[in-house]
Amino acid sequence: MPTRRSPARRPTMKDIARRAGVSESAVSFALNDRPGVSEATRARVRRVAEQLGWRPSTAARALSGEGAATVGFVLARPAATLGVDSFFLQLVSGIQGVLAERHLGLLFQVVEDVADECAVYRRWWAEHRVDGVLVVDPRADDPRPGLLDELSLPAVVIGGAPDERHPGLSTVWADDAGAMASVVGELTALGHRRIVHIAGLPGLAHTQRRIRTLRAEAARRGLAEVESVTTDYSDAEAAAVTRRVLRGPAAPTALVYDTDVMAVAGLAAAAELGFSVPADLSVVAWEDSALCRMVTPWLSALSRDSVEFGKTAARELLALLDGGPARTVRVPVPRLIERDSTGPARTDRPRSGAANDGTGPGA
Amino acid sequence: MPTRRSPARRPTMKDIARRAGVSESAVSFALNDRPGVSEATRARVRRVAEQLGWRPSTAARALSGEGAATVGFVLARPAATLGVDSFFLQLVSGIQGVLAERHLGLLFQVVEDVADECAVYRRWWAEHRVDGVLVVDPRADDPRPGLLDELSLPAVVIGGAPDERHPGLSTVWADDAGAMASVVGELTALGHRRIVHIAGLPGLAHTQRRIRTLRAEAARRGLAEVESVTTDYSDAEAAAVTRRVLRGPAAPTALVYDTDVMAVAGLAAAAELGFSVPADLSVVAWEDSALCRMVTPWLSALSRDSVEFGKTAARELLALLDGGPARTVRVPVPRLIERDSTGPARTDRPRSGAANDGTGPGA
DNA sequence: TCTTGACACTCAAGCGCTTTAGCAGTTCCC
DNA sequence: GGGAACTGCTAAAGCGCTTGAGTGTCAAGA
């Protein structure tokens, strides 16, 4: 433990230089592993620095040309929709794990929409606050890659498909198409032919990828009654859509939800309508979390390692900051974990008729 | 729109000075609303700055004595337990809303435990990275207030009871005691006399406050069979504890959970054992979220405005940074929202007997 | 013996900003 | 009419660090 010093005085390189009997430059060389000092001096300087509890001032570092030792992360979400969500916290946790090794800070900001997000990038850039950023929720016609290119701010797009128009950006993505194909395969193997995909925001790139894949898979397998419905990701809308499709004629026998939260909400809605899961209806959640094991029946879910996803993204950003080339990295395809909410499609008779009286589909 | 410039060059005050035909100092005075320049010059400088899209370099500002324009927020959570949680994201969102008005950044870090958290504070302080911090999850015998005092790093403790030993810290807290008293009052009014409180981590200050209050309330009302059981906040442990107390002799007629997640997990566990809610058992969740409306029956919950909570905390920190005195602010007592999981206690016969065969409590 | 050059180090400038001191010019007042 | 007291501005130092240009020393090579 260092000896008790007067409280609010940070040690500087000058202090170290004085104590070690060398110049400030020597201290700088010593501490940054640069040639120009003897090993003996280097060791001595290191020792003094350690003893003083010295850490480089990021401000001074940033000012003299080094980076700000910080990366940025913006979450564009209307405050109202910030709900139950395990994905982001896990993602951020993974990101941190990697950044912390290099003592990089994470500047985090929640904003209302993408326009605000762009404003934040501009400000961060002008204020010299971050060395790079992590971008989530890429969307069709996204203004962000172009902006980041213009600012030459290193960036990694998380969850986007590779984008050739902005070769400066790295991309880390999960293969939604492959996952969707596997889900459809699994469901058709169980005999399901009427599948509804309750998707997220229509503007997001991965929503569109999933919808496109579903359509293609349905065409390939000759499934006529397959559709996607987009939502705002809220549990309320998920429940409403679920009620609507289940009450309609030729109700689906399987529902695929784009998030665990929507799946849980949908499950409750289905139960209210008297549908028994998985006997009458199979349910799959895209995104696994404790939530899936907190409802009855337990939800089958597409699981991916969000923490690892974050780590991968952070590593790519580090590579970029080190001057490496932009790359596109694909993380493992989400695995379908079959629990209790999926089962063989009912074969007795195709369900039909508009109104369901709530006493149950087969009664 | 500014004219197209070469990409990666930030405008500096020197640029403004040249364009406006004045010295750098004049620019500084003009832009910081300091006396020393005429209104005409001030306006001209402002216009040029605007036009150039200038923003002060935080690094340079920080280096010349101003703050780092950043506040820190550390979340000490083992990565594994980062689960479904709406509280923190909402809290952070509220914090941001206030900080953004002043263009303050939020440095966010997830660490494993409080020791690591302290290390982060030390590093942030030494690196001159933050002007102040927001501390969550205060606990008994907490090393953090002392450390922050020692570093004279302005801080607001969120969720702590006022602490006289560290007069430098502000505190923003919700009146857990009052809320617990109201819950107990409500439940006893419904006839419940056997209540189990399934609490969170035993080390946290608010856990202890709730437990103490429950005990005091029970004593005051002459309820003998009231107890608190601490958990690690996980859904798994909540379910396990629920099963244990419901299977025990003299099972409780009401359960109070410290989080919505635990309440949902407990609800499922109770359902498995054949308990019907609210007929056999009343359930209250401490913390409201969409989750509470996604299960059957909907959970009665103690609701507070987490976004507002964050805003209040951030405002207190700003006040501190402005040189104001440390204060203790109490946010409104959480309100009990009665939904469908609470009802009159069964009066037919006191439940008893160890083993429950799962066919239902009254069968 | 005198150069070379490698080595270990110091000096000083500069990053973008704030801030104190100072310097002209104007107004004011006895 | 000559200080005093403004007003509106500039010059320069300094925050803590990096870095390129220099300086002194010593050993090896000519």
Side-chain angles (χ1 to χ4, degrees):
Chain A
M1 188 183 149
T3 59
R4 199 132 193 80
R5 283 185 311 284
S6 88
R9 170 78 213 297
R10 300 167 176 80
T12 72
M13 286 194 1
K14 197 183 281 177
D15 299 323
I16 301 179
R18 197 172 329 113
R19 300 271 265 251
V22 289
S23 72
E24 274 186 68
S25 336
V27 172
S28 177
F29 292 146
L31 294 172
N32 291 314
D33 285 323
R34 262 164 227 283
V37 288
S38 64
E39 276 314 310
T41 308
R42 195 184 298 279
R44 183 157 37 92
V45 168
R46 281 236 185 80
R47 197 153 27 77
V48 174
E50 171 95 9
Q51 183 180 314
L52 252 43
W54 178 87
R55 293 249 70 217
S57 148
T58 43
R61 270 247 164 96
L63 198 52
S64 46
E66 305 286 284
T70 307
V71 311
F73 182 96
V74 181
L75 192 53
R77 291 274 166 118
T81 70
L82 276 175
V84 180
D85 197 331
S86 60
F87 176 68
F88 279 106
L89 221 44
Q90 294 194 350
L91 188 76
V92 167
S93 158
I95 291 170
Q96 293 275 349
V98 172
L99 296 184
E101 290 168 15
R102 296 261 218 121
H103 294 301
L104 292 180
L106 184 72
L107 205 57
F108 179 67
Q109 181 132 14
V110 185
V111 298
E112 284 286 309
D113 53 39
V114 173
D116 284 0
E117 184 174 344
C118 288
V120 169
Y121 291 144
R122 279 190 190 282
R123 193 148 52 71
W124 279 352
W125 172 80
E127 292 180 352
H128 204 154
R129 260 183 190 279
V130 298
D131 301 329
V133 298
L134 294 156
V135 178
V136 289
D137 287 344
R139 42 190 83 205
D141 258 337
D142 201 317
R144 293 170 294 174
L147 173 62
L148 295 169
D149 240 16
E150 181 193 329
L151 302 176
S152 25
L153 202 54
V156 174
V157 178
I158 298 178
D163 179 349
E164 315 74 34
R165 288 166 311 168
H166 297 287
L169 308 189
S170 281
T171 300
V172 176
W173 68 308
D175 182 6
D176 295 275
M180 179 57 102
S182 81
V183 169
V184 174
E186 199 60 36
L187 289 175
T188 53
L190 286 168
H192 295 277
R193 304 191 50 86
R194 295 196 306 283
I195 303 172
V196 171
H197 167 216
I198 293 167
L201 285 172
L204 299 186
H206 73 257
T207 301
Q208 303 187 350
R209 274 207 309 280
R210 293 177 191 181
I211 292 177
R212 269 203 310 276
T213 312
L214 177 61
R215 198 172 301 152
E217 282 293 311
R220 199 165 70 76
R221 297 169 190 269
L223 307 175
E225 300 171 87
V226 162
E227 63 166 328
S228 293
V229 185
T230 58
T231 68
D232 62 358
Y233 278 124
S234 73
D235 54 296
E237 204 167 322
V241 169
T242 303
R243 275 190 288 268
R244 185 159 60 69
V245 301
L246 288 182
R247 277 190 180 131
T253 62
L255 295 176
V256 179
Y257 292 86
D258 261 9
T259 66
D260 49 352
V261 174
M262 291 203 296
V264 169
L267 188 67
E272 272 170 36
L273 292 181
F275 282 77
S276 160
V277 174
D280 304 320
L281 184 69
S282 286
V283 170
V284 175
W286 199 304
E287 210 62 73
D288 191 19
S289 77
L291 212 52
C292 295
R293 279 161 287 123
M294 282 162 56
V295 290
T296 322
W298 284 12
L299 287 175
S300 299
L302 275 169
S303 168
R304 57 175 164 181
D305 188 338
S306 309
V307 175
E308 192 55 42
F309 200 19
K311 285 188 183 170
T312 304
R315 274 192 286 260
E316 283 310 307
L317 187 52
L318 288 186
L320 231 40
L321 295 181
D322 288 342
R327 307 198 311 159
T328 294
V329 178
R330 214 179 67 185
V331 300
V333 179
R335 248 176 34 265
L336 179 61
I337 308 216
E338 304 218 39
R339 297 205 182 91
D340 309 330
S341 67
T342 41
R346 280 185 87 91
T347 50
D348 45 354
R349 67 179 174 84
R351 283 184 40 75
S352 67
N356 184 295
D357 61 2
T359 56
Chain B
M1 187 186 150
T3 59
R4 200 135 193 75
R5 282 184 312 282
S6 87
R9 169 80 213 296
R10 299 167 176 81
T12 72
M13 286 195 2
K14 197 183 280 176
D15 299 322
I16 301 178
R18 198 172 329 114
R19 299 270 265 253
V22 290
S23 72
E24 272 187 70
S25 337
V27 173
S28 177
F29 292 146
L31 295 172
N32 290 314
D33 287 323
R34 261 163 226 284
V37 289
S38 66
E39 275 316 309
T41 307
R42 194 184 298 278
R44 184 156 37 92
V45 167
R46 280 235 185 82
R47 197 152 28 76
V48 174
E50 171 96 8
Q51 183 179 314
L52 252 43
W54 177 86
R55 294 247 71 216
S57 148
T58 42
R61 268 248 166 97
L63 198 51
S64 47
E66 304 287 283
T70 307
V71 311
F73 182 97
V74 182
L75 192 53
R77 291 270 166 122
T81 69
L82 275 176
V84 179
D85 197 330
S86 60
F87 177 68
F88 279 107
L89 221 43
Q90 294 194 351
L91 187 75
V92 167
S93 159
I95 291 170
Q96 293 275 347
V98 171
L99 295 184
E101 290 168 15
R102 295 262 217 120
H103 294 301
L104 293 181
L106 184 72
L107 204 58
F108 179 67
Q109 182 133 12
V110 184
V111 297
E112 285 286 309
D113 52 38
V114 173
D116 284 0
E117 184 173 344
C118 288
V120 169
Y121 291 143
R122 280 191 189 280
R123 192 147 52 72
W124 279 352
W125 173 81
E127 293 180 351
H128 204 155
R129 259 182 190 280
V130 298
D131 301 329
V133 297
L134 295 156
V135 178
V136 291
D137 287 343
R139 42 191 81 204
D141 257 336
D142 202 318
R144 293 169 295 174
L147 173 62
L148 295 169
D149 239 16
E150 181 193 330
L151 301 176
S152 24
L153 201 52
V156 174
V157 178
I158 297 178
D163 179 350
E164 316 72 36
R165 287 165 311 167
H166 298 287
L169 309 189
S170 280
T171 300
V172 176
W173 67 307
D175 181 5
D176 295 275
M180 180 57 103
S182 81
V183 169
V184 173
E186 199 60 36
L187 289 174
T188 53
L190 285 167
H192 296 276
R193 303 190 52 83
R194 295 197 304 283
I195 303 173
V196 171
H197 167 216
I198 293 168
L201 286 171
L204 298 186
H206 72 258
T207 301
Q208 302 187 350
R209 273 206 309 280
R210 292 177 191 179
I211 292 176
R212 268 202 311 275
T213 312
L214 177 62
R215 197 172 302 153
E217 281 295 310
R220 198 166 68 78
R221 296 168 191 270
L223 308 176
E225 301 171 86
V226 164
E227 63 167 329
S228 295
V229 185
T230 58
T231 69
D232 63 358
Y233 276 126
S234 72
D235 53 296
E237 201 165 325
V241 168
T242 303
R243 276 190 288 269
R244 184 160 60 71
V245 300
L246 288 182
R247 277 190 180 130
T253 63
L255 295 176
V256 178
Y257 292 87
D258 261 8
T259 66
D260 48 353
V261 173
M262 291 203 296
V264 169
L267 189 65
E272 272 170 37
L273 293 182
F275 281 77
S276 159
V277 174
D280 304 320
L281 185 69
S282 285
V283 170
V284 175
W286 199 304
E287 211 61 73
D288 191 20
S289 77
L291 212 53
C292 296
R293 279 162 287 121
M294 283 161 54
V295 290
T296 320
W298 285 11
L299 287 176
S300 299
L302 275 169
S303 167
R304 58 175 163 181
D305 188 337
S306 309
V307 175
E308 193 55 42
F309 200 19
K311 285 188 182 171
T312 304
R315 274 191 286 261
E316 282 311 307
L317 187 52
L318 288 185
L320 231 40
L321 294 181
D322 288 342
R327 307 198 311 160
T328 295
V329 178
R330 214 179 66 184
V331 300
V333 180
R335 249 176 32 264
L336 179 62
I337 309 215
E338 305 218 38
R339 298 207 180 90
D340 309 330
S341 68
T342 41
R346 279 185 88 92
T347 49
D348 44 355
R349 64 177 176 87
R351 280 183 44 75
S352 67
N356 185 294
D357 61 3
T359 57

